[in-house]
Amino acid sequence: KGTTDVNLELKGRMEEAVSKPNLSIGVKVRDGQIASKQFADTPIKDMSARMALKLPGLNPDSLNINITDFAFKLGEGFAKGHALYRYPTYVDAGMEAQLDITRLWKTLAIEGMQLKGNLQLKADLEGAYTTTSVTTKKGNTYNNITSVPHFDIDASWKNGYFKWKEMPMAVDQLSFDLKAVNRDGNYKHTKLDVRNLDARAGKNFVNGMFSVQ
């Protein structure tokens, strides 16, 4: 259910030899709802989003996708955020969520994978991933990372479960608290802190914590 408005504009000179009009697509979603038979009483509801895609001159190098806002509710949980992408690697995104992933996954009816758990997430990401080509004294060439988007992520996953059809066995239990921060775009300055880790697959398990400074 819901209402969707789509606006498509193709503007520019159309010539026999060269035709490079500007492409613009706008999408608005209001009062959206998705329900499954199993959770018909608690559907994904109040879905809303605004998205704009721009491709000046039909040039892929000028691609700009801007999701100015999106949101939905599921039971007592919710998700909301925004996302911007500019070619080639610039992103500016943020998301806040408190979700029953078990219910979300079954409502979306995604095949080939099972995912369960309770998620709390607050994340912000902004910047570009860039590299430079470096040639060693022996003539070997490799890409050196010069910047990554800076980010601040707080996440908590409880009572999780993960099974993919290509996996020999499921991850029967998955819980953790995650804090990841990079404040200046230098990947060497990334800080990662994982606590209350509990992962189990068959007779194998990992418990504990780890930190990268």
Side-chain angles (χ1 to χ4, degrees):
K1 297 181 180 180
T3 301
T4 301
D5 299 326
V6 179
N7 179 54
L8 187 150
E9 182 180 80
L10 197 61
K11 185 177 181 180
R13 297 184 61 182
M14 303 294 290
E15 301 177 355
E16 292 185 4
V18 179
S19 297
K20 293 185 177 181
N22 299 323
L23 173 64
S24 177
I25 301 175
V27 179
K28 292 183 180 179
V29 178
R30 303 187 305 277
D31 303 320
Q33 181 172 303
I34 301 174
S36 67
K37 293 181 179 179
Q38 186 171 1
F39 296 110
D41 58 330
T42 53
I44 298 174
K45 63 180 182 179
D46 297 337
M47 292 176 58
S48 64
R50 291 185 296 170
M51 187 273 283
L53 181 150
K54 295 182 179 181
L55 193 62
L58 296 181
N59 182 0
D61 292 350
S62 301
L63 177 63
N64 183 305
I65 301 175
N66 188 9
I67 303 174
T68 52
D69 58 78
F70 69 87
F72 66 85
K73 296 179 181 177
L74 177 60
E76 297 181 356
F78 70 92
K80 61 182 180 180
H82 68 275
L84 169 67
Y85 167 79
R86 286 201 297 262
Y87 182 90
T89 60
Y90 177 83
V91 292
D92 183 354
M95 182 175 179
E96 185 176 356
Q98 294 182 16
L99 291 170
D100 180 342
I101 298 299
T102 305
R103 182 169 293 174
L104 175 65
W105 209 254
K106 290 184 177 180
T107 299
L108 296 178
I110 299 174
E111 298 182 356
M113 186 183 298
Q114 296 181 45
L115 193 61
K116 301 178 182 179
N118 296 299
L119 170 68
Q120 291 190 19
L121 172 68
K122 186 173 183 181
D124 292 289
L125 174 74
E126 193 272 328
Y129 176 85
T130 61
T131 63
T132 56
S133 180
V134 177
T135 302
T136 66
K137 293 181 179 179
K138 294 183 178 180
N140 299 320
T141 302
Y142 67 94
N143 289 327
N144 182 51
I145 300 173
T146 52
S147 72
V148 298
H150 57 80
F151 54 83
D152 190 342
I153 301 172
D154 273 297
S156 175
W157 194 293
K158 303 298 182 185
N159 303 316
Y161 173 93
F162 175 69
K163 178 67 170 70
W164 182 38
K165 64 180 181 179
E166 302 295 333
M167 294 171 57
M169 66 177 65
V171 178
D172 302 305
Q173 167 65 26
L174 179 62
S175 296
F176 60 83
D177 296 310
L178 167 70
K179 174 69 174 179
V181 177
N182 183 294
R183 302 196 184 282
D184 61 5
N186 185 335
Y187 77 93
K188 295 180 181 180
H189 297 162
T190 297
K191 296 181 179 180
L192 178 66
D193 188 28
V194 177
R195 297 181 181 274
N196 303 314
L197 175 62
D198 183 7
R200 302 174 186 271
K203 295 181 180 180
N204 304 305
F205 67 91
V206 177
N207 296 108
M209 57 174 286
F210 66 89
S211 180
V212 177
Q213 301 290 334

